[in-house]
Amino acid sequence: MEKPTTSNQIFIDPVCLMKVAPGKKNLVFTHQMRTYYFCAESCRKAFEANPDKYLESMSPKRKGWWGRYLERLNKATGGKPPKCCH
Ligand SMILES: [Zn+2]
């Protein structure tokens, strides 16, 4: 039985930081007693492989650092997006 009060909740995909509605039950990952929702299977797998990396990126304090890191990673990988799926 689903509770209707939770149906409008929006979660943030910690990998690509998209807003995700918790509708797809297969795109859920539980880490340290918390449940995270993802926009796609590839994001869920990326998080599963290295949860701490993405949890750090969700902290606003580190946003500037994270942006620079992604930029550097982008160059290092020859422009191939290090995140997500879209
Ligand atoms: Zn995603």
Side-chain angles (χ1 to χ4, degrees):
M1 288 296 178
E2 287 183 350
K3 292 177 185 173
T5 48
T6 60
S7 62
N8 289 331
Q9 227 170 329
I10 296 292
F11 294 88
I12 302 294
D13 179 331
V15 175
C16 66
L17 306 182
M18 269 182 61
K19 287 174 186 167
V20 181
K24 303 173 186 170
K25 291 205 166 58
N26 56 325
L27 298 178
V28 168
F29 184 70
T30 304
H31 175 67
Q32 294 181 349
M33 309 293 286
R34 291 196 60 182
T35 303
Y36 299 93
Y37 294 83
F38 302 91
C39 68
E41 176 76 19
S42 55
C43 280
R44 193 187 68 79
K45 279 183 177 163
F47 183 83
E48 191 176 359
N50 202 348
D52 294 333
K53 178 178 134 187
Y54 295 109
L55 293 181
E56 276 187 17
S57 79
M58 289 184 80
S59 162
K61 254 194 292 183
R62 291 179 182 254
K63 202 171 182 184
W65 172 87
W66 180 246
R68 286 197 299 277
Y69 172 76
L70 283 183
E71 245 174 59
R72 224 168 49 217
L73 196 69
N74 236 335
K75 282 175 190 165
T77 56
K80 188 179 159 196
K83 60 175 183 173
C84 208
C85 35
H86 304 287

